[in-house]
Amino acid sequence: AIYGGAVWVNIDIGSPLLVAAGVAMGNTIGPLLTTWILRTTGFRHDFSYRSDILWFIVATVLGMIISASGGVTTLWWAGRIATPSLAAAWWSWWIGDILGILLLATVLLTISRDSLASIKQQSFEVFLFVPILLAVNWFIFLSPFNLTLAYVPVLLVMWAALRYGIVGASLTVLADSLIAFWGTFTHHGPFHLMGDRDQIVLAIYIVTHTVVSLVITALHAENRRAAAQLQQSYQKLNKITSRIPGMVYQFQQQPDGAFSLPYTSEAVRTLFEVEPQQAQEDISTIFNRVHPDDLATVMASIHRSAQELSNWQQEFRVCHRDGSEHWLFGNSMPERGADGTLLWYGFITDITPQKEVNDELRRAKEKAEVATRAKSDFLAVMSHEIRTPMNAVIGMGDVLLETSLTEEQRRYVHKLQSAGNNLLELINQILDLSKIEAGGLTIVSEPVQMRPLLTEVVALLSVIAEGKGLRCQCHVDETLPEWLIGDRMRLRQVLVNLLGNAIKFTERGQVSLSCRIAPDESARYELLVADTGVGVDSKHANQIFEAFSQVDSSITRHHGGSGLGLAISRQLVTLMGGELWLESQPGQGSLFRILLPLHPCACVVTDASRSAVVDGERQRPLRVLLVEDAEDNQLLIQLFLSKTPHHLTIAGNGEEAVQLVQQGAFDVVLMDVQMPVMDGYTATRLIRRWEQQHHLPRLPIITLTAHALEGEIERSRQAGCDLYLTKPIKKLLLLEAIQRLSSGSVDGGHK
């Protein structure tokens, strides 16, 4: 279309066909080069970026070089242009093409239905602007006044670019240029006064207008685009923060100490009942919501975070309009700017539900502690109330066995002792279970001789096994070290429970206890308790380790037992860092396996075991004060001491005991704990105070108590007792304790 139009125009003005074809060729190749450059560089026809303006000008300048060169060369070849005039002709041609493209192409490229529609929305403003534009240009370029105000239309171009975009700006430039061109060539306006330079000045004027309009349009488009992107980013940020369970914010402190809130998410409405815009304009609306009792703490934490540039974390309350209080938690990290401004970036979330849960947990914990204390108190009372009569039952049985009895009577007494010991064992197991559950049972580490321990356990229970016609065997690996570190008493308790359980559920065959180094772990030792008894189904292997549980009630009725022994054994093994499990099949016997981390140690030299037999004839006569309110226990102690040279005095309560000690001289005091009028610990403290006031030697005091819970030993020591004996008390053990204290061998131990 360009080529055909150019040929027709040149022929129409009288040019030969070859000249018209040559000029048209230059006029066609130039725009094609310009178009190719613009497409290659990604040019956008709405001039929305400054780079579009740059490439548009560059492409126009380069393309019109081809156009001007082709046209001038053709005319020179045809003799239409003399050689000396080539440069001037080429310059005029080149500038003319550039001006034509800058004026018309911008309008053609940018005008569209959408762009016209946007101008149409401002039709009233356009209706006022067009007459002003024409009037200003008429006065400058067409009036006879020759006004030198050529810069004024530039202001109108800037206005049109800002208000109506690239279409309005290009149309305004086109109108200015046409009026300026007409006025200059009709010898009006400021440019015709320039003489020969009027065309050059006019060209510069038009180019300046065009470039200014394009630059302003691009800058304005970029600003609008940046604002739109910022708004879009802000909306995205608000969408993201609205999904966060809390308030995201930016908190600022100016160098002068003033606070502000540059940004806050929508959650500020819920947390502080303040609109985001209101909070950003006046941060006091936030602080006014903080509970008065917490405000000083919050401000102090903010200042501390600012001084140390440390993380700010704070829990505080806010007051809502309905009178409710809510707990909030804030967390943010400060950053210091170059101008000294501090910015915290963080979040605040409502922790009221967590606080309520924590309060519920705290109340539940307090209730549990109260229940635990009540259980402990109940166990202590029950232990005392049961052990006190048991002391008389078992003690009297021991006394009866020392008398002349028929075989039938002796058998009855043994039955009585066996029942009493079973009841005492049950009490001890319940107390042990209570200690384990309360975390009050401790495991000690001491040197243990494994062979003697295993032999002792087997010897202890072999009598029961042999009574049922069972073989009771003990096997110890020859490679087993002589001394190992462990808790001898608790290990003995576990082995007695397991071996006793094996004997109980075995009717024929044998039971055995063995110890060896674990085959797969050299640092652990394996203890095995095996029997040929009834066995247990594998699905019940873990059930038997539950407290008060056995496989079925029929076995419980047939064999007896409380179901506590195995439960306590597993928990004791666990406390010792080991494992206990059962391998069994019904009718094929059972195998209990224990794995314990026992460490070998060097040989330990110990004193020979003390003999529990105390020779009455060799004992030194002592004056013994018994403080006991139960008559049966008074009688029992009298019987225990009846064949000794000791002299016994009895006090019915603690108050009476204090008076007797202050009035007479005694060598040993046997002090019960729970008594009417005054308990034993109070009486002991009063005796120790009286001794200190009168500078008297310490009187040995032995605690005789039915309390066996954890902590009683320490209570007795704090009260001033020298030895702690738990009821029921064996005669020989009591005589040994009296002898030890009277000879000065006091170590504050317990039995």
Side-chain angles (χ1 to χ4, degrees), residues 274-290:
V274 176
E275 291 297 319
Q277 186 66 27
Q278 184 182 6
Q280 293 173 14
E281 294 175 356
D282 185 7
I283 196 172
S284 64
T285 56
I286 296 291
F287 289 128
N288 290 340
R289 289 296 181 191
V290 179

Side-chain angles (χ1 to χ4, degrees), residues 287-570:
F287 289 128
N288 290 340
R289 289 296 181 191
V290 179
H291 195 285
D293 295 342
D294 297 345
L295 182 59
T297 303
V298 171
M299 298 305 297
S301 64
I302 293 174
H303 289 302
R304 183 168 56 254
S305 175
Q307 293 173 358
E308 302 173 358
L309 286 181
S310 59
N311 189 36
W312 178 76
Q313 288 187 346
Q314 188 65 39
E315 291 183 2
F316 57 95
R317 291 167 293 173
V318 293
C319 302
H320 283 192
R321 294 187 179 92
D322 60 1
S324 62
E325 293 182 1
H326 291 255
W327 277 96
L328 304 183
F329 170 75
N331 189 339
S332 62
M333 179 61 71
E335 293 181 1
R336 188 180 298 278
D339 60 350
T341 300
L342 280 174
L343 281 174
W344 283 265
Y345 300 88
F347 70 92
I348 296 176
T349 185
D350 192 334
I351 60 171
T352 304
Q354 294 91 315
K355 279 285 187 180
E356 293 175 350
V357 171
N358 290 339
D359 290 341
E360 289 292 333
L361 291 175
R362 178 180 51 79
R363 287 190 289 268
K365 179 176 178 292
E366 291 175 352
K367 290 181 180 178
E369 290 175 348
V370 170
T372 300
R373 286 194 297 269
K375 184 181 74 171
S376 298
D377 293 341
F378 171 77
L379 289 175
V381 172
M382 292 304 298
S383 172
H384 180 273
E385 296 301 324
I386 295 175
R387 284 176 180 273
T388 297
M390 286 300 300
N391 184 52
V393 171
I394 296 177
M396 289 297 183
D398 290 339
V399 173
L400 278 175
L401 290 174
E402 294 178 358
T403 63
S404 299
L405 299 174
T406 65
E407 287 301 322
E408 184 179 8
Q409 291 172 335
R410 187 170 296 276
R411 187 170 65 253
Y412 293 159
V413 173
H414 279 302
K415 290 288 186 181
L416 179 66
Q417 294 292 83
S418 177
N421 289 327
N422 288 338
L423 180 57
L424 183 60
E425 180 184 358
L426 176 60
I427 296 170
N428 289 334
Q429 288 178 341
I430 294 175
L431 292 178
D432 281 345
L433 185 64
S434 175
K435 292 176 186 177
I436 293 173
E437 291 177 348
L441 191 145
T442 57
I443 300 298
V444 300
S445 296
E446 59 185 356
V448 179
Q449 281 184 294
M450 290 300 295
R451 286 184 180 85
L453 175 60
L454 299 179
T455 304
E456 175 188 340
V457 172
V458 172
L460 178 66
L461 297 175
S462 60
V463 177
I464 303 175
E466 292 170 359
K468 295 182 64 175
L470 304 175
R471 295 189 305 275
C472 189
Q473 300 177 342
C474 179
H475 305 285
V476 181
D477 194 334
E478 294 181 357
T479 61
L480 189 72
E482 181 180 359
W483 291 92
L484 296 172
I485 297 297
D487 190 326
R488 186 183 189 281
M489 183 181 71
R490 295 304 176 185
L491 186 56
R492 181 182 184 277
Q493 181 179 352
V494 170
L495 295 177
V496 169
N497 280 341
L498 295 180
L499 193 58
N501 184 79
I503 295 172
K504 180 188 300 183
F505 291 98
T506 302
E507 298 298 331
R508 61 180 63 87
Q510 66 179 14
V511 295
S512 64
L513 172 61
S514 59
C515 182
R516 65 184 181 183
I517 298 175
D520 56 341
E521 298 184 46
S522 58
R524 304 180 82 179
Y525 293 83
E526 190 175 44
L527 293 160
L528 306 173
V529 177
D531 65 61
T532 58
V534 295
V536 178
D537 195 314
S538 58
K539 65 182 181 181
H540 298 302
N542 284 322
Q543 178 184 341
I544 64 172
F545 290 105
E546 297 176 3
F548 304 103
S549 174
Q550 290 185 337
V551 175
D552 60 63
S553 58
S554 63
I555 293 179
T556 303
R557 289 193 297 270
H558 180 68
H559 294 281
S562 62
L564 287 176
L566 293 181
I568 294 173
S569 297
R570 170 171 276 187

